[in-house]
Amino acid sequence: MQIQGYFDLKFEAVKDAFADFFADPQERGAALCVQVGGETVVDIWAGVADKDGQQAWHSDTILNLFSCTKPFTAVTALQLVAEGKLELDVPVARYWPEFAAAGKERITLRHLLSHQAGLPAIRESLPAEALYDWQTMTSALAAEAPWWALGDGHGYAPITYGWLVGELLRRVEGRGPGESIVARTAKPLGLDFHVGLADEEFHRVATITRGKGNVGDAAAQRLLKTMMSDAQALTTRAFANPPSIMTSTNKPEWRRMQQPAANGHGNARSLAGFYSGLLDGSLLDSELLAELTREHSVGEDRTLLTATRFGLGCMLDQPTVANATYGMGPGAFGHPGAGGSTGFADPQRDVAVGFVTNNLGPFVLMDPRAQKLAGILCKCF
């Protein structure tokens, strides 16, 4: 497989490891960007962007980054906190009065960002088309009772996070949440990142496909077993209500909507650039960066059924948990996206990493491909 792009010779082992992925005939397209101290030392890509293997992956190929989107949303919220337009520890209902229904009057933005609010799913079955109706989804969440009491654990909100935090952004900014996120994070840094993609950009988007024959690790198998056996389980409702959540990735209406939990579109370069912008203070001051990366939730996740550790809208490293480490050090923070893409930073080495792929793996948290690259990257220092 021919690898395109640039790499500093000091990091040639990282390039070689990336190339090795394509020995697997199921591998399709991928890109990797590594920045050290804000300088790009690796920016490579290879493979194909379409389902039929006819369209090469290009320098400007973008793709759905799934939950890699969440930290962009959290940083936007924290910028509004810095400006006094939002507060972390006042009730969400101050900004969104209807949200106080069903015992939610004490839930704060901090609870939403750290997955402690008890709102990872909606109990009432919704039609597939509800996914694209912002008002339907936010109204359903405003009416929803928490799945557990405040202070009684945490559970990842794979997609409701986008409507919950996004509605606060919309109410205080008076524009679509994706517009706020892009204006505040991507545009200042010149990142090719979108939440609500324009139709004229569709030709650059890689088609997402799923690998076959890999059942994943124990956490993935546990999650799948629950979803296949219990339609009413919190986990099942979180990922499959509306039922279109897991089947819409390549649809035009998914690309167009502004769903700031899961439908950001960008590339490895935009992920690495975002985390470089956090490390150098371009996006948040040191006090708010400390809040973003401070442990808020840790332990068994009620949704993912595995151990997770969160700051505010970002996933923190768990060095001793095989499926939950970025593979560089205990201070690393970032967020994986469904199926393999991930972005993260290692403050100790002043490193920012973006890895993206359109061949989804079956893993719940970190994909072994990204972890392998991080491990080899460590050895280059």
Side-chain angles (χ1 to χ4, degrees), residues 49-69:
D50 65 328
K51 187 176 182 182
D52 300 321
Q54 301 300 307
Q55 180 184 336
W57 192 289
H58 294 295
S59 173
D60 68 344
T61 296
I62 57 176
L63 73 163
N64 190 175
L65 299 174
F66 297 102
S67 290
C68 297
T69 309

Side-chain angles (χ1 to χ4, degrees), residues 32 39-40 43 66 68 73 76 104 204 249 274 286 300 370:
L32 172 69
E39 296 295 319
T40 299
D43 183 9
F66 297 102
C68 297
T73 306
T76 300
K104 301 193 299 299
R204 299 197 289 129
T249 306
F274 171 76
S286 58
E300 189 68 11

Side-chain angles (χ1 to χ4, degrees), residues 275-358:
Y275 286 101
S276 284
L278 286 173
L279 293 176
D280 70 14
S282 297
L283 293 176
L284 292 177
D285 64 29
S286 58
E287 185 178 340
L288 282 170
L289 180 61
E291 280 295 297
L292 179 84
T293 59
R294 176 171 68 80
E295 180 181 293
H296 282 73
S297 308
V298 66
E300 189 68 11
D301 191 297
R302 288 171 174 265
T303 307
L304 297 179
L305 311 178
T306 189
T308 54
R309 180 173 175 250
F310 291 103
L312 295 178
C314 67
M315 196 171 286
L316 306 180
D317 201 88
Q318 296 186 83
T320 61
V321 182
N323 71 331
T325 178
Y326 296 101
M328 292 200 74
F333 66 93
H335 215 294
S341 294
T342 190
F344 68 92
D346 174 19
Q348 181 184 347
R349 296 177 179 84
D350 199 13
V351 170
V353 177
F355 170 72
V356 300
T357 174
N358 63 343

